[in-house]
Amino acid sequence: MNKNILFLFVFLAIFSCKDEEDTSPDSTACAGTVCSATLGSGETAATIPSSAVGVFKTVVTFAEPTSPFKLGTKATFEVTKDQKLIVSIEGKDCITLTNPIWRFGATSGSGNYTFKDNCRDNVAYNLSFNTNGTFNEVNIENVSGPGFFGQFTVE
């Protein structure tokens, strides 16, 4: 009996440890707001390819004066298999965005997929992938039309 309790204690101690130096947001357990934006003028529904599914740790490396996020702000963007984007920005609760779109002439071959957050931060996140399919950056755009606030790049 004592061996079982000791084993359970050791098991829990090992698997409940968290790396104290990892201060980046955790995007895998979002219980926050779900935001489902509708299509606007000139926007079409997009389909995120399976090659874009993944977790991308980023930091704001460029911010316009009007940007809602200052330089150095860290964020994790998780593209899920079921066409969602989980956004975890340091200092904020996570948010799940649905209904990816193409806007401003982007199409399936462009490597750009936009999710609109009109529930909390009133911005659009344009996920940009290189021509070889690797993650490039997330542009922070106006949710309702043209406009650029800055970008998150790989941390």
Side-chain angles (χ1 to χ4, degrees):
M1 179 77 172
N2 287 341
K3 277 185 168 180
N4 290 339
I5 292 173
L6 180 61
F7 175 77
L8 179 62
F9 176 74
V10 171
F11 178 82
L12 290 174
I14 290 171
F15 290 101
S16 65
C17 292
K18 182 178 172 114
D19 184 359
E20 296 299 324
E21 293 184 31
D22 185 8
T23 59
S24 61
D26 180 9
S27 67
T28 59
C30 184
T33 302
V34 175
C35 188
S36 299
T38 57
L39 290 174
S41 176
E43 298 174 345
T44 56
T47 301
I48 308 296
S50 60
S51 61
V53 171
V55 177
F56 309 102
K57 292 186 179 218
T58 65
V59 62
V60 174
T61 55
F62 179 82
E64 293 286 350
T66 56
S67 176
F69 310 113
K70 63 183 181 176
L71 287 174
T73 301
K74 293 183 180 183
T76 300
F77 294 89
E78 181 176 356
V79 179
T80 66
K81 292 178 185 177
D82 59 348
Q83 304 291 302
K84 295 178 183 171
L85 178 67
I86 300 171
V87 180
S88 299
I89 297 173
E90 70 181 346
K92 296 180 176 253
D93 290 335
C94 64
I95 187 168
T96 301
L97 308 177
T98 63
N99 303 335
I101 61 168
W102 287 303
R103 62 197 305 210
F104 312 127
T107 62
S108 62
S110 70
N112 288 282
Y113 309 95
T114 301
F115 288 84
K116 297 192 298 187
D117 170 6
N118 59 351
C119 299
R120 185 183 70 193
D121 294 317
N122 205 34
V123 297
Y125 298 105
N126 177 349
L127 282 72
S128 172
F129 292 83
N130 295 313
T131 54
N132 66 1
T134 60
F135 176 75
N136 183 33
E137 65 195 10
V138 177
N139 293 302
I140 311 160
E141 300 174 346
N142 187 323
V143 75
S144 61
F148 178 74
F149 296 119
Q151 62 193 190
F152 288 93
T153 57
V154 176
E155 184 176 30

